[in-house]
Amino acid sequence: MFINHDFFMKEALAEAEKAFLKREVPIGAIVVYDGNIIARAHNLRETQKDPTAHAEILAIKEASKTLGGWRLTGCSIYVTIEPCPMCAGAILQARIDRLIFGAFDPKAGVCGTLMNLLQDERFNHRVEVVSGILEKECSEIMKKFFKGLRNAT
């Protein structure tokens, strides 16, 4: 079955744009089940004053409500930037089947960069990882955001 990763990543990028406009780190995430988007979110750490309000965590919570349970078997999560340890852990705990992300995170990414938490054989669940989808676009919005922060100081 053909999956249009670009289409879904563009939806995650739209969420990242929302975060950018709120002066949040521009990361977006969507959860897809049976070809349909069932959850979408963007970073809200500053807005909610909550260190756990990452796009992935918020999207996973919404998807769990939508499906009526914590097991998100059969779901894929699209994220604009490689997940951090907290978010990768949540993806594992939610039993999500597949992670698709755009750009690597050299400072905090644990889905191939610093380590590969999602495919560690010591866990009872492993997640398929697809990287580099619309990597340039996902990277550019981050660069634009942090350049703006540097120029503001």
Side-chain angles (χ1 to χ4, degrees), residues 4-20 25-32 37 39-43 55-56 59 76-82 99-103 133-135 137-139 141-142:
N4 189 341
H5 290 313
D6 285 2
F7 171 80
F8 291 118
M9 190 59 74
K10 285 177 184 173
E11 292 294 315
L13 273 164
E15 288 297 315
E17 285 287 342
K18 291 177 188 177
F20 184 91
V25 175
I27 298 174
I30 64 163
V31 177
V32 175
I37 298 171
R40 56 180 68 237
H42 52 275
N43 272 7
E56 300 95 321
S76 296
I77 188 166
Y78 287 77
V79 186
T80 55
I81 301 297
E82 180 183 7
L99 161 70
I100 302 91
F101 71 87
I133 304 299
L134 300 182
E135 183 173 9
E137 294 89 333
C138 293
S139 178
I141 191 171
M142 293 289 281

Side-chain angles (χ1 to χ4, degrees), residues 1 8 19 33 45 80-81 91 98 107 112 119 121 131 152:
M1 179 174 103
F8 291 118
Y33 179 73
R45 288 192 314 173
T80 55
I81 301 297
I91 291 166
R98 188 173 305 103
K107 295 183 179 179
Q119 294 178 328
E121 292 181 6
S131 60

Side-chain angles (χ1 to χ4, degrees), residues 43-58:
N43 272 7
L44 289 173
R45 288 192 314 173
E46 301 299 331
T47 303
Q48 294 184 1
K49 312 245 182 300
D50 179 354
T52 68
H54 288 204
E56 300 95 321
I57 301 292
L58 299 172

Side-chain angles (χ1 to χ4, degrees), residues 5 50-51 60 74 86 96 118-119 131 136-137 146-147 152:
H5 290 313
D50 179 354
I60 288 168
M86 175 181 67
I96 291 173
L118 296 181
Q119 294 178 328
S131 60
K136 183 178 181 226
E137 294 89 333
F146 285 109
K147 182 178 181 185

